[in-house]
Amino acid sequence: MEKKQHFVRREFLPREVPSISLALLLAAVLLLNALLYLYLNKFYSSLGRVEPDPGLCPFGHFRFGAVKNCSPWLSCEAINREVRKLKCVGEGAVKKVFLSEWKEKKVVLSQLTNSELKEDFLHGLKMLKALQSKHVVRLLGYCEQQFTILTEYHPLGSLRGLNETLHIPKYKGMNTWHRRLMLAMDYVGVIRYLHSSPLGTLVMCDSNDLDKVLSQYLLTSDFHVLVNDLDALPLVNRSAGRLVKCGHRELRGEFVAPEQRWPYGEDVPFEDDLMPPYDEKTDIWKIPDVSNFFLGHVEGSDIVRLHLFDIHAACKKKDPAERPSAQEVLDTYRKVLTLLIREAAMPGTREML
């Protein structure tokens, strides 16, 4: 009888240890999932929100830097009296941009350079005023009579310089697949905001090539993406039968969507009146190319591309109606980020379970 009891102990005692280990592992997984949920939920709720950020000031006001109180947008008189130009930092077809100073703070002063494009300039100002949110550069003031706009300064500049910025020693720690994916999510979040804006469905028309797209967005010091240039932002209104055309010239190349290209072949000369209009799904077509730039060639970026393959293939559907919405793309990016962070945090968990 004693030998049988001894045999029972030898049979079951070794199985108790793996059971305890498995329970601890499951508890760790659950804890990790809870922490990931809290972190990502906070990030997602701010990223995906269409409504203006409650931290922003009331319409017609701004909060600058660490100042808690809101101030009215600067008027023509205040801009002329209090803003000092330092140097020209850029010039486009519509406006010239100056690094300036206001009350010992760096700001950006934009001025119209081509009087023939004043309607574009004023449209950009209208959009900037109406779309103030966490996705859009902060407006500080304007003067319609002098065609002048004052906005917040972001020292890291446009997204064209992203790779150079990430090679600066100070920012090398940001040069990871998950940080790059989060920047891509910021970008898609801006597109989603424009497609469901308070004004209706807006199309980002200044986007005929990758370099042009990147020049329209700013990189903030805390590594987020803001749209900066809203001069070419027409409205789609399906119920009224209103579609858009991005300019009056022929668009070429694989970067622009198929419906933006001349559909009648080389033998028929381009005529703007014959060019069919289109909708916001042109922005969706361009998302994979822009995201590919964001992801770069860091460790893990190819794995991210693999997980995004299906949604990016859907973005490249020839028929615009078959492409996903910006919200669907953003939802997929979120799921991929959650999955990959979980797998990176606990490699081998699936095999252990």
Side-chain angles (χ1 to χ4, degrees), residues 97-199:
V97 180
F98 297 89
L99 175 62
S100 305
E101 192 174 58
W102 175 69
K103 293 188 176 180
E104 300 183 348
K105 297 181 179 68
K106 297 288 191 302
V107 292
V108 173
L109 188 71
S110 302
Q111 292 184 318
L112 178 69
T113 55
N114 186 346
S115 59
E116 294 180 0
L117 298 174
K118 63 182 181 182
E119 293 302 320
D120 291 346
F121 184 90
L122 293 175
H123 177 74
L125 173 58
K126 177 185 176 182
M127 294 294 103
L128 196 55
K129 290 193 291 184
L131 298 175
Q132 284 294 289
S133 69
K134 67 185 293 296
H135 301 287
V136 179
V137 69
R138 186 171 300 163
L139 178 64
L140 306 179
Y142 63 93
C143 180
E144 285 195 34
Q145 297 93 320
Q146 298 173 7
F147 297 99
T148 299
I149 299 173
L150 192 70
T151 54
E152 190 173 14
Y153 172 62
H154 293 279
L156 296 183
S158 79
L159 289 176
R160 286 189 294 189
L162 174 64
N163 289 324
E164 289 75 11
T165 297
L166 289 172
H167 283 95
I168 298 173
K170 178 181 178 181
Y171 299 112
K172 278 189 175 180
M174 297 287 193
N175 197 17
T176 62
W177 67 263
H178 59 273
R179 177 59 66 175
R180 283 177 170 271
L181 177 55
M182 288 167 72
L183 288 174
M185 291 171 66
D186 265 357
Y187 164 73
V188 177
V190 173
I191 298 299
R192 184 251 190 189
Y193 175 68
L194 295 179
H195 288 184
S196 53
S197 81
L199 300 177

Side-chain angles (χ1 to χ4, degrees), residues 46-270:
S46 64
L47 182 67
R49 187 168 51 237
V50 174
E51 299 78 13
D53 191 326
L56 292 174
C57 295
F59 182 81
H61 295 73
F62 69 93
R63 183 185 291 118
F64 196 61
V67 178
K68 293 183 178 181
N69 297 328
C70 295
S71 302
W73 286 334
L74 272 65
S75 63
C76 296
E77 180 184 358
I79 291 174
N80 291 333
R81 185 180 65 248
E82 301 172 12
V83 177
R84 181 170 65 94
K85 292 180 186 177
L86 298 178
K87 63 178 180 179
C88 179
V89 293
E91 183 173 3
V94 178
K95 54 186 176 288
K96 186 178 287 188
V97 180
F98 297 89
L99 175 62
S100 305
E101 192 174 58
W102 175 69
K103 293 188 176 180
E104 300 183 348
K105 297 181 179 68
K106 297 288 191 302
V107 292
V108 173
L109 188 71
S110 302
Q111 292 184 318
L112 178 69
T113 55
N114 186 346
S115 59
E116 294 180 0
L117 298 174
K118 63 182 181 182
E119 293 302 320
D120 291 346
F121 184 90
L122 293 175
H123 177 74
L125 173 58
K126 177 185 176 182
M127 294 294 103
L128 196 55
K129 290 193 291 184
L131 298 175
Q132 284 294 289
S133 69
K134 67 185 293 296
H135 301 287
V136 179
V137 69
R138 186 171 300 163
L139 178 64
L140 306 179
Y142 63 93
C143 180
E144 285 195 34
Q145 297 93 320
Q146 298 173 7
F147 297 99
T148 299
I149 299 173
L150 192 70
T151 54
E152 190 173 14
Y153 172 62
H154 293 279
L156 296 183
S158 79
L159 289 176
R160 286 189 294 189
L162 174 64
N163 289 324
E164 289 75 11
T165 297
L166 289 172
H167 283 95
I168 298 173
K170 178 181 178 181
Y171 299 112
K172 278 189 175 180
M174 297 287 193
N175 197 17
T176 62
W177 67 263
H178 59 273
R179 177 59 66 175
R180 283 177 170 271
L181 177 55
M182 288 167 72
L183 288 174
M185 291 171 66
D186 265 357
Y187 164 73
V188 177
V190 173
I191 298 299
R192 184 251 190 189
Y193 175 68
L194 295 179
H195 288 184
S196 53
S197 81
L199 300 177
T201 301
L202 300 167
V203 182
M204 193 66 177
C205 266
D206 248 345
S207 56
N208 297 335
D209 57 64
L210 179 60
D211 192 64
K212 187 64 175 175
V213 171
L214 299 176
S215 71
Q216 309 302 303
Y217 296 85
L218 296 171
L219 179 64
T220 68
S221 297
D222 59 349
F223 272 71
H224 286 284
V225 173
L226 298 176
V227 63
N228 180 52
D229 196 328
L230 303 174
D231 294 345
L233 211 61
L235 178 69
V236 169
N237 188 338
R238 284 191 184 82
S239 61
R242 183 194 304 164
L243 300 178
V244 304
K245 288 192 286 189
C246 291
H248 304 287
R249 299 179 182 178
E250 182 178 1
L251 301 179
R252 297 176 178 268
E254 293 298 315
F255 188 82
V256 296
E259 63 271 24
Q260 293 183 280
R261 303 172 210 153
W262 180 242
Y264 302 117
E266 296 289 340
D267 296 334
V268 181
F270 177 82

